[in-house]
Amino acid sequence: MDGTENVTDRVPVVIVDDLHVKYRVFASGRAARRTKTGLLSRTQGGVRYVHALKGVSFTAYQNESIGVIGANGSGKSTLMRAIVGLTPPHSGAVFASSRPNLLGVGAALMPNLSGESNIVLGGLALGFPKKEIAGMRDGIVEFAELQEFIDLPMRTYSSGMQARLKFAIAASKQHEILIVDEALSVGDKRFQKRSEARIREIRDAAGTIFLVSHSHQSIRDTCSRTLWLNKGELMADGPTEEVMAAYEAHRSAQ
Amino acid sequence: MSLADIAAQHGLHRVGARPKLGKYLKQTWDRRDFIIALARYRLQSDLANNRLGVLWLVLRPLLNAIVYGVIFGLLQGPNRGADYPAVVVTGVFLFEYFSSSLSRGAKSVTGNRSLVQSLAFPRLTLPVAEVIEGFFSLLPSLAVLAVLLPILGHWPTWSWLLMIPLLVIFTVFNAGVAMFVARLTVHVQDLTQFLPFVTRILFYTSGVLFNVDTIFKTYPWVLQLYDFHPVYQVLRIARSVLMGNQVYDPMYWWYFSAWALVAFVGGLLFFWVAEERYGRD
C-alpha cells in the first residue's frame, strides 16, 4: 500500500489494528432528521452512539513523521487520543513500544500561579523527575521568551504568551512517540517556525511523530508520510505528496 | 501474520491497558512529587485571589466552630456537657478534614476531565492529591488548636504526640473514602449533588456538636451502633488524646485502624479496577 510493507529492517513502534471507537453521547434536544455525515448509527432513549473510527489499521515505524489530515469530524483527534490510550477502543487495539505522549500540558497548568511554578507543575504532570525539571527550566523560559514575566501569574499573560509557555513545557523533552494535535498554530509566524523546527529536532533524535494539522504547509514541511481520514475511515496512507494530491482532488470535487 | 502478532514479535504493548496492581501502585508512588505539587499549588491557587490568603485556612474552620458552638451550645443548654468549647473546636476542625476529603475526592476525576483526557498518568494520583490538599489545609487548624486548648484549660501533655499516628490512620481512612467516591461519581454524576447531604448527615451524627452518650442514654442499642461509626471514633480518640477529661476506651484505636484499612484497600481496588474507564465520555 505505501510500499514499505516488505521492508523488514524498520522497527515498528506503533501498530493500530482494526481500531473501532464509539462514543456514547447523552443527546439533549432533537437530532436533525437526516444527517449527511452518517456518523450517527443509532438513537435510543436520548443516548446516541457516534461511530468515530471504523476499522483503522496502520503501522508506524521509528523515525517517521506522519501527517494526519481530514475534514472536521473525520476522526483525527479521536485516533490520536486512542493512540495515546486516552480513548479506549470499542474493538481492535493499539500497540506501542513505549507510551505515546500527546503534546500538550495546558490542562495541568493553573492560571493563578506564576510561570515559574507552572513549569514545575507542568513538568511533573508530564512525568519528569523534579531534578530534571530544574535542569530544563532555563531552556523552557528561553524558548517561550518569557524571561521578564516568568514570576508573574500566568493569567496576566497574553494568550500568545500562554501558548508559548505551554508549548515550551510540553516540547522540552525528547519523546519517543509524540502526537502533535494542532499545536503548531499558536503564537506568531516566527514562533510557529521555531516550534516546527523543535518538532523536527525531536523526530531526528529517533522519535516518531504524528502531526494533526489543517495547515497543509506544516505537514508538507515536516512529514514524509500522511494518513487521510474521512468519516472515521482511513482513505489513504502513503507519501505526503500523493495523499495530499488525492485529498485536495477529493475536496474540490465536493 | 496479523498485526497483533507483529506487535507481539516486536515487543509492543497494548496502549491504555490497566497495569497490574503492584505496578499501578509503583507508578503512583513514582508520581509522588506530582501529587504533592498538585495539592500545594491548588491550595495556593485557590487562596491567591483572597486578600487574607493563607489566613483563611485558619479563619474558616474557626468561624465555623464559633457559629456552630454558639448556636448549638445555647440550644442544648446544660445538656451540652463539660468543656463544650474545646469539644466543638476539636470536632469541627477534624471533621473538616474528613468532609473535604469526601467532597474533593468525589470531584477528583469528574472535575479534572481535561487533565484526564490530555495526559497519561495513574488516575489514583487525583483522589490522593485531594486528600493531601485537605491535609495541608488541616495543618494551620491544628496550630490554632494547639493555641486554643491551653486557653480553654487543657495544657499540652505527652499524649498529644498520639495525634501523629491518629492523623496517619485518619489520612489512610480519608484516602480510601476519596478513592471510593472518586469512582462512584464517574458512574453516577448525580452523586455530586447528593454528597453534601451525606456530609451534613454525618456532621450531625458524628458527635461533632452533640454528646452522643447523653442524648442516647435511654437507647443503649444506638450507642452500640456508634462502636461502628468511624468518624465518631476518630473524634472521640482525638479528644481523649488532647483533653485529659475525655476518657475513651483505647481499643477504639484498633476499631478505627481496621476501618481505615478496610476503606483504603476497598477504595483502592474499587478505583483501580475502573482505571481504563476514566476520561471516557
Side-chain angles (χ1 to χ4, degrees), chain A residues 16 19 52-58 67-81 83 210 212 214 226-237 243 247 250-251:
Chain A
V16 175
L19 183 69
L53 288 177
K54 304 166 183 165
V56 174
S57 299
F58 65 88
V68 182
I69 54 173
N72 286 325
S74 55
K76 302 186 294 290
S77 293
T78 304
L79 176 61
M80 296 303 117
R81 297 229 318 247
I83 291 178
F210 290 88
V212 180
H214 285 289
T226 294
L227 308 176
W228 166 21
L229 283 173
N230 190 31
K231 294 175 189 168
E233 286 173 66
L234 190 59
M235 297 285 279
D237 171 6
V243 176
Y247 176 60
H250 174 86
R251 284 227 301 193

Side-chain angles (χ1 to χ4, degrees), chain A residues 31 54 64 68 72-75 82 91 93 101 113 127 165 170 186 191 193 199 201 211 213 219 238:
Chain A
K54 304 166 183 165
E64 246 184 340
V68 182
N72 286 325
S74 55
S91 65
N101 288 299
L113 298 180
L165 180 64
V186 301
F191 188 74
K193 286 283 161 230
I199 296 291
E201 248 174 68
L211 175 62
S213 181
I219 288 192

Side-chain angles (χ1 to χ4, degrees), chain A residues 12 15-17 59 83-86 88 94-97 99 104 107-108 110 112-113 117 121 124-127 155, chain B residues 3-4 6-7 10 12-15 31 33-34 37-38 41-42 45 49 114-120 123 276 280-281:
Chain A
I15 293 181
V16 175
D17 182 10
T59 303
I83 291 178
V84 191
L86 293 169
V94 177
F95 303 93
S97 58
R99 180 134 207 182
M110 300 179 192
N112 270 339
L113 298 180
S117 305
L121 186 61
L124 288 169
L126 288 168
R155 68 183 138 83
Chain B
L3 285 172
I6 299 176
H10 284 88
L12 306 190
H13 307 286
R14 191 165 78 79
V15 170
R31 288 295 192 131
D33 284 338
F34 177 52
L38 209 55
Y41 285 139
R42 251 196 214 134
S45 167
N49 288 334
S114 57
L115 184 58
V116 171
Q117 289 186 344
S118 63
L119 290 171
R123 308 308 181 198
E276 289 184 35
R280 193 175 184 172
D281 293 298

Side-chain angles (χ1 to χ4, degrees), chain A residues 132-185:
Chain A
E132 221 171 286
I133 296 168
M136 297 176 341
R137 186 233 170 235
D138 291 341
I140 293 173
V141 176
E142 196 189 327
F143 192 89
E145 298 173 349
L146 284 171
Q147 286 88 343
E148 314 106 276
F149 308 110
I150 203 66
D151 54 335
L152 295 179
M154 203 175 75
R155 68 183 138 83
T156 62
Y157 294 3
S158 73
S159 55
M161 285 157 78
Q162 289 190 16
R164 263 157 34 203
L165 180 64
K166 286 174 189 169
F167 181 90
I169 297 173
S172 56
K173 186 213 175 191
Q174 180 58 40
H175 296 265
E176 273 177 67
I177 304 166
L178 180 64
I179 292 173
V180 186
D181 195 345
E182 290 290 355
L184 296 183
S185 46

